[in-house]
Amino acid sequence: MEFQSILSAATGGHGLAVNPWASVAYLVAGVLFILALRGLSSPATAQAGNRFGMAGMLIAVVTTLLTHAPATADGLLDTIGLVEILVAIGIGAVIGIVMARRIAMTAMPQLVAAFHSLVGLAAVAVAAAAYLNPQAFGIADAAGEIFTVSRIEMGLGIAIGAITFSGSVIAFLKLNGNMSGSPIMLPGRHIINLGTLAAIIGLVAYFTFDQSPWIFWTVTGLSFLIGFLLIIPIGGADMPVVVSMLNSYSGWAAAAMGFTLGNTAMIITGALVGSSGAILSYIMCRAMNRSFISVIAGGFGADAGPSDGGSKEQRPWKPGSAEDAAFLMSQADTVIIVPGYGMAVAQAQHALREMADQLKKEGVTVKYAIHPVAGRMPGHMNVLLAEANVPYDEVFELEDINGEFAQADVAFVIGANDVTNPSAKTDKTSPIYGMPVLDVEKAKTVLFVKRSMGGVGYAGVDNDVFYMDQTMMLLGDAKKMADDIVKALSGSGH
């Protein structure tokens, strides 16, 4: 039997449409993706969620290969084309496995940004291929005229995909330290951005009436450009929102291309990623008391005067040592640990867990308080603590633990500045005013691990907690400080 006959039987005999069995397979894959999202909502079920997602993707890929295998003009299996596809999948799999094994957990935010850029670039490539050869994709008539609905899908897919790619590249460079994390303000940026976005929307609308190449490629070029322009002025403090926002964009780009390809799995997956990313962006914005539009406008903390080293007010503060910290915590009933990006940079999570284990041996109750936007991406601190095998039942979100600081003997803050800054509650001139913060200043004693007194958080504002009577500043590398505290706890006989 010719391969074309086999393919016709598998696809129902009408081009790209799939038969009921393929639809069922895609439905199963979609259910597994939903279960994956549900599993990833909790550290305790995250591994199972990942397995569901992997199984769903395997089913989707195998189904797509069976129903869209390449064929020659004679209706035979195009073995060369099939080998090329399998080689490409193999290369991608090897790269993914190597990266997953070698990447440090502290570098996970920039890895996520890099993945988003690849999703966006893939959407652009698919849209370009469909535009250049629409009849092969079944989206054009015999004369090569692309169907109107396909033009809409293609225009949206390539615009969102290009924005996702270029925006994710900038996010990666900022997160990886190749570009300054501070906002880069271009003169007249709002007018430029609005004008570019208006041009993209107008051209995508015009593309539904005229499929001329200049329209398609102009939309592509402007979309790449606006991705750069949107992310460059966004500062490091807004990076958690940016990462989740780009995640949402990548999902919608994939969904749009799913319609173009007639692939149910892509549509389901893209919609899930897009909607969950949008919801997460909303949660992140609410956690910082900022609107989505204000994040896109960029510049969080750019005008904060306290970060200017020369004009910073000199205020008295109380220095401390690892031995001091060990003594105070060993005498406490309850210690609440607040991790931040400083902990991630120093890779101090393992030393921190050892410190907590030492304290628990002495009967001290230890809890961890996580702010929703601590670190560089949503869940960054949770991932690092999970890597260090910190028990899940000791980790609490802001709304669940904030009321316990007033009863805590010690709040141990390690590299978390902006999310513990009380000026967010009192100073209306502060760039973080209105952002919910962890009430560490209510603890009887605050131990604050910080590299130096000269630096400030990403928002560019000083923290009043540094100068409070109950605060002891532990200056130095976060990992070394935690290691020294562990040694002090072990050697003191507590």
Side-chain angles (χ1 to χ4, degrees):
M1 180 185 289
E2 288 187 339
F3 174 72
Q4 189 62 43
S5 300
I6 300 174
L7 180 63
S8 178
T11 60
H14 50 277
L16 294 179
V18 295
N19 71 354
W21 290 110
S23 297
V24 169
Y26 284 141
L27 179 61
V28 171
V31 171
L32 288 171
F33 292 144
I34 293 172
L35 292 175
L37 282 177
R38 181 178 177 83
L40 292 172
S41 65
S42 169
T45 58
Q47 287 187 340
N50 269 321
R51 294 189 185 100
F52 282 131
M54 292 164 63
M57 186 55 66
L58 178 62
I59 291 173
V61 170
V62 171
T63 302
T64 300
L65 284 175
L66 290 175
T67 57
H68 296 74
T72 65
D74 300 329
L76 301 175
L77 174 65
D78 183 0
T79 54
I80 295 178
L82 182 60
V83 169
E84 289 176 344
I85 292 173
L86 295 177
V87 168
I89 292 175
I91 292 173
V94 170
I95 294 174
I97 291 171
V98 171
M99 290 181 67
R101 290 185 177 276
R102 292 186 177 181
I103 196 73
M105 294 302 291
T106 50
M108 196 57 64
Q110 47 265 53
L111 179 65
V112 172
F115 283 163
H116 291 164
S117 73
L118 295 178
V119 175
L121 189 60
V124 172
V126 170
Y131 176 74
L132 294 173
N133 193 8
Q135 290 166 320
F137 287 79
I139 60 173
D141 57 24
E145 188 76 13
I146 301 175
F147 303 135
T148 301
V149 67
S150 296
R151 294 190 202 179
I152 296 173
E153 298 158 2
M154 190 182 301
L156 292 175
I158 200 162
I160 300 172
I163 291 172
T164 302
F165 170 75
S166 53
S168 297
V169 168
I170 296 298
F172 172 85
L173 294 175
K174 282 177 173 280
L175 291 168
N176 204 45
N178 303 109
M179 177 182 289
S180 172
S182 301
I184 300 174
M185 301 301 182
L186 300 176
R189 67 186 187 282
H190 296 309
I191 296 176
I192 295 174
N193 291 349
L194 288 174
T196 306
L197 285 172
I200 292 172
I201 294 172
L203 286 172
V204 169
Y206 186 55
F207 184 62
T208 61
F209 301 98
D210 185 350
Q211 66 180 59
S212 298
W214 75 267
I215 302 175
F216 181 84
W217 297 114
T218 301
V219 169
T220 305
L222 289 177
S223 299
F224 278 127
L225 176 63
I226 195 61
F228 287 113
L229 296 177
L230 285 175
I231 307 302
I232 282 177
I234 298 178
D238 281 331
M239 272 302 143
V241 180
V242 171
V243 171
S244 61
M245 176 188 73
L246 292 170
N247 178 50
S248 178
Y249 289 177
S250 68
W252 298 125
M257 289 301 95
F259 281 105
T260 298
L261 296 175
N263 190 295
T264 308
M266 282 186 67
I267 297 171
I268 294 173
T269 307
L272 287 172
V273 173
S275 56
S276 61
I279 293 170
L280 187 57
S281 297
Y282 169 76
I283 293 172
M284 294 295 105
C285 287
R286 190 176 63 176
M288 296 191 301
N289 193 39
R290 286 166 59 70
S291 68
F292 182 76
I293 298 300
S294 67
V295 172
I296 295 300
F300 189 31
D303 302 322
S307 62
D308 300 332
S311 60
K312 183 178 176 180
E313 180 185 357
Q314 298 299 317
R315 301 162 64 183
W317 52 278
K318 186 189 303 180
S321 65
E323 290 74 19
D324 297 328
F327 176 78
L328 288 169
M329 287 192 288
S330 66
Q331 301 300 311
D333 290 326
T334 303
V335 173
I336 299 179
I337 299 173
V338 181
Y341 188 64
M343 181 198 75
V345 172
Q347 300 188 42
Q349 61 269 28
H350 294 282
L352 190 66
R353 180 190 56 79
E354 291 180 26
M355 183 191 82
D357 289 344
Q358 288 279 1
L359 292 172
K360 286 188 287 185
K361 287 179 182 178
E362 301 302 322
V364 180
T365 299
V366 178
K367 297 181 179 181
Y368 296 81
I370 307 296
H371 193 281
V373 295
R376 295 291 189 88
M377 65 177 287
H380 195 184
M381 296 300 104
N382 303 75
V383 169
L384 293 176
L385 294 179
E387 183 205 15
N389 295 319
V390 171
Y392 301 136
D393 58 0
E394 295 178 5
V395 181
F396 298 88
E397 300 297 327
L398 178 146
E399 62 270 15
D400 297 323
I401 200 172
N402 224 16
E404 297 187 27
F405 281 103
Q407 289 78 44
D409 296 295
V410 176
F412 185 84
V413 185
I414 179 166
N417 189 353
D418 296 332
V419 298
T420 61
N421 196 332
S423 69
K425 297 177 283 187
T426 58
D427 185 2
K428 293 185 178 181
T429 64
S430 172
I432 61 173
Y433 177 72
M435 182 177 85
V437 293
L438 292 162
D439 298 331
V440 298
E441 77 279 3
K442 294 182 179 179
K444 296 181 179 66
T445 300
V446 180
L447 300 175
F448 213 114
V449 181
K450 195 172 184 292
R451 184 169 292 276
S452 70
M453 292 300 294
V456 291
Y458 276 111
V461 290
D462 210 1
N463 192 335
D464 288 338
V465 173
F466 300 160
Y467 313 103
M468 292 181 174
D469 293 337
Q470 76 268 35
T471 300
M472 181 179 291
M473 300 301 299
L474 308 174
L475 302 184
D477 178 78
K479 184 178 185 301
K480 185 178 185 306
M481 182 61 66
D483 283 333
D484 289 345
I485 293 173
V486 171
K487 292 176 184 177
L489 286 170
S490 301
S492 63
H494 292 299

